[in-house]
């Protein structure tokens, strides 16, 4: 199974769906009582690929691997880039029109 391109050591990721999979210890296969929760960001310390999927070791949870499908990459963006994405929608509008749209 191929892992997404962002899955690599040192990459930052965020947990999006902790309930989707039970967290298991890879060595003992026991279900863990705790694990990453939704919205938490981590650094990937190791990647394990096998026939059942891709698993991540995380800085905050050493010694355990978590299914990569429960995580997405952390995207760093600046406010200027975010505004630039919508700037073409504002072209030609007066300040008054822009203020009215924002209400």
């Amino acid at each position: 199974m191929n892992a997404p391109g962002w899955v690599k050591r040192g990459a930052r990721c965020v947990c999006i769906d902790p309930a989707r999979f039970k967290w298991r210890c890879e060595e003992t296969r026991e279900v863990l009582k705790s694990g990453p929760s939704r919205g938490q960001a981590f650094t990937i310390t190791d990647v394990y690929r096998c026939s059942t999927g891709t698993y991540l070791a995380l800085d905050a949870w050493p010694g355990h691997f978590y299914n990569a499908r429960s995580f997405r990459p952390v995207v760093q963006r600046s406010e200027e880039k975010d505004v630039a994405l919508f700037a073409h929608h504002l072209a030609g509008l007066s300040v008054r029109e822009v203020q009215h749209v924002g209400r």
Side-chain angles (χ1 to χ4, degrees):
M1 172 177 248
N2 292 334
W6 63 268
V7 174
K8 56 189 169 196
R9 284 185 185 149
R12 298 277 296 156
C13 62
V14 63
C15 182
I16 60 160
D17 193 1
R20 185 174 179 187
F21 301 98
K22 290 183 179 175
W23 302 131
R24 293 185 182 272
C25 176
E26 286 300 308
E27 291 177 6
T28 64
R29 303 300 297 160
E30 69 183 65
V31 176
L32 303 173
K33 292 183 175 25
S34 63
S37 57
R38 185 180 186 96
Q40 279 186 300
F42 304 97
T43 299
I44 300 172
T45 57
D46 202 2
V47 179
Y48 175 71
R49 292 174 177 87
C50 66
S51 61
T52 61
T54 300
Y55 298 87
L56 310 176
L58 307 170
D59 58 344
W61 300 92
H64 301 294
F65 284 84
Y66 301 96
N67 196 308
R69 292 187 290 172
S70 289
F71 299 89
R72 294 295 180 271
V74 171
V75 178
Q76 299 291 337
R77 290 188 289 199
S78 67
E79 189 174 317
E80 292 83 21
K81 287 182 181 178
D82 287 345
V83 170
L85 292 173
F86 298 96
H88 66 279
H89 293 292
L90 302 175
L93 295 177
S94 69
V95 173
R96 186 172 191 195
E97 288 173 307
V98 172
Q99 289 174 342
H100 177 70
V101 170
R103 287 186 183 168

